[in-house]
Amino acid sequence: MAGSAQDNDEEITGINVTPLVDIVLVLLIIFMVTANFIVRETVEVDLPRAANGGETVQGLVNVVLDKEGKLFFDGAEVSEADLSVKVAEQVAKDKDTRAIISADQSIPYGRVMKLIDVVKGQGIAKFALNIEKDVAPTAPRG
């Protein structure tokens, strides 16, 4: 019989991967285009792990300004002048020291900026502002 399947004695020796490559490239282009539309949270907060309560992670200092306006450096109350000295001492020990600055939300913005200036002025280039994550802002009272 002419044209029957038995007349074709050639064996298939390979798989044609060209359609597979085409599909992968199309999917890659789709993923690259849609990746720009993915919304990511851009606020990064560097929080230390709690140790035995009094210890801090090496190269990391905590500066806290509470609602009464009291200033704390690694848990100990200090004045602004003492804070500058303590930060300078810490930077002298470790040039890669980072700071976490926490302030009560009722503190005026200018006080927080002054605190940031003190920390940066003593040589700490990397610092993080401590925030409470996933909390909706409240309306101002009054």
Side-chain angles (χ1 to χ4, degrees), residues 66-68 103-108:
D66 71 359
K67 62 184 174 186
E68 285 87 29
D104 192 82
Q105 67 181 352
S106 65
I107 296 294

Side-chain angles (χ1 to χ4, degrees), residues 21-127:
V21 171
D22 290 343
I23 290 172
V24 169
L25 287 176
V26 169
L27 287 174
L28 180 64
I29 291 170
I30 290 170
F31 291 145
M32 287 173 39
V33 169
T34 58
N36 292 333
F37 300 116
I38 297 173
V39 178
R40 293 190 181 114
E41 192 174 327
T42 58
V43 177
E44 293 182 17
V45 179
D46 224 359
L47 295 177
R49 294 190 190 112
N52 292 335
E55 299 175 335
T56 59
V57 178
Q58 184 176 0
L60 185 65
V61 295
N62 291 306
V63 180
V64 179
L65 187 60
D66 71 359
K67 62 184 174 186
E68 285 87 29
K70 294 178 184 173
L71 199 55
F72 295 89
F73 180 82
D74 281 342
E77 188 174 351
V78 294
S79 66
E80 283 191 34
D82 291 340
L83 174 67
S84 184
V85 171
K86 294 258 188 199
V87 171
E89 288 173 359
Q90 191 66 32
V91 171
K93 290 179 191 174
D94 184 8
K95 297 286 184 199
D96 295 327
T97 298
R98 297 173 292 146
I100 294 181
I101 300 172
S102 305
D104 192 82
Q105 67 181 352
S106 65
I107 296 294
Y109 184 70
R111 285 281 316 265
V112 177
M113 288 306 298
K114 189 173 181 182
L115 190 59
I116 291 171
D117 287 341
V118 169
V119 169
K120 287 178 69 176
Q122 296 303 319
I124 294 182
K126 294 182 180 180
F127 67 92

